[in-house]
Amino acid sequence: MSESKHDESFKVVDRRLFTPEGEFRKEVAEQQDRERETAPAAKAPDVAGAAGSTAIAGTAATPHAIPSAVPAADAPKRSPAFENLIRSLGQNAAMLLGGYADPRTGQPVLDLEGAREMIDMLDVLREKTVGNLAAEEDTLLLDVLGNLKLAFMEMAKAAAKHEKAQSQH
């Protein structure tokens, strides 16, 4: 009986790309790259399975086969509202990374934790919309995320250097 309770354990994996100090986590990026490399290979059998299951009457299609059976004519179409959402979230994150000055003080706004949250939201949005975006939307999302992550790393390093210099005085 005690063995079955031991077998029911689960593992929590932190998949965020940045540490609390703002450093890039190489192991998470490497894991995501491995998953992307294996994903196309895993989807190939589903396409064949989808064709076979729809050709035979009375055979239920598997949940994985349904999205793969979408013809090219039904490919996702661009949505200006979605693109505006991506740009809005990206601009908010850029603002928090010092890209814009506070209108009251004229000083750049720097909120690394807030920027990290915005970047994480964009990451989740990309993860949850895989396969449902038009090519232009996916490219926009990747570009915004790439630029924000690079800016975040640079700002986090600069902030750490500034903090270290302040503590030495």
Side-chain angles (χ1 to χ4, degrees):
M1 192 91 180
S2 64
E3 287 182 31
S4 66
K5 286 187 179 183
H6 181 64
D7 292 340
E8 294 177 8
S9 66
F10 62 92
K11 181 179 177 183
V12 176
V13 179
D14 185 358
R15 297 183 66 136
R16 292 180 287 186
L17 290 177
F18 299 102
T19 65
E21 295 79 33
E23 297 296 319
F24 185 69
R25 293 173 159 215
K26 291 180 183 175
E27 65 274 4
V28 174
E30 291 168 357
Q31 176 65 29
Q32 288 179 346
D33 288 342
R34 285 191 296 270
E35 288 173 1
R36 275 190 220 114
E37 290 171 3
T38 59
K43 287 183 181 179
D46 288 341
V47 173
S53 66
T54 55
I56 301 171
T59 306
T62 63
H64 299 292
I66 294 169
S68 334
V70 175
D74 291 338
K77 293 178 179 45
R78 285 179 68 183
S79 167
F82 183 79
E83 291 176 4
N84 288 337
L85 172 66
I86 298 305
R87 286 186 187 99
S88 175
L89 291 171
Q91 287 173 343
N92 286 337
M95 180 186 69
L96 295 172
L97 288 171
Y100 299 97
D102 183 341
R104 293 172 290 178
T105 64
Q107 298 296 317
V109 176
L110 183 62
D111 178 3
L112 291 176
E113 189 58 37
R116 177 183 292 140
E117 289 176 15
M118 298 297 289
I119 293 168
D120 286 347
M121 280 193 272
L122 284 164
D123 265 332
V124 168
L125 191 59
R126 179 159 194 279
E127 180 182 315
K128 295 295 183 178
T129 58
V130 169
N132 293 319
L133 298 179
E136 299 88 357
E137 294 169 333
D138 194 45
T139 300
L140 173 66
L141 189 50
L142 281 173
D143 288 346
V144 168
L145 272 169
N147 290 334
L148 287 173
K149 288 176 180 181
L150 182 62
F152 180 86
M153 287 188 339
E154 290 173 358
M155 293 307 293
K157 286 180 183 178
K161 185 185 281 187
H162 179 73
E163 193 173 302
K164 185 177 180 181
Q166 290 294 329
S167 67
Q168 290 178 353
H169 289 298

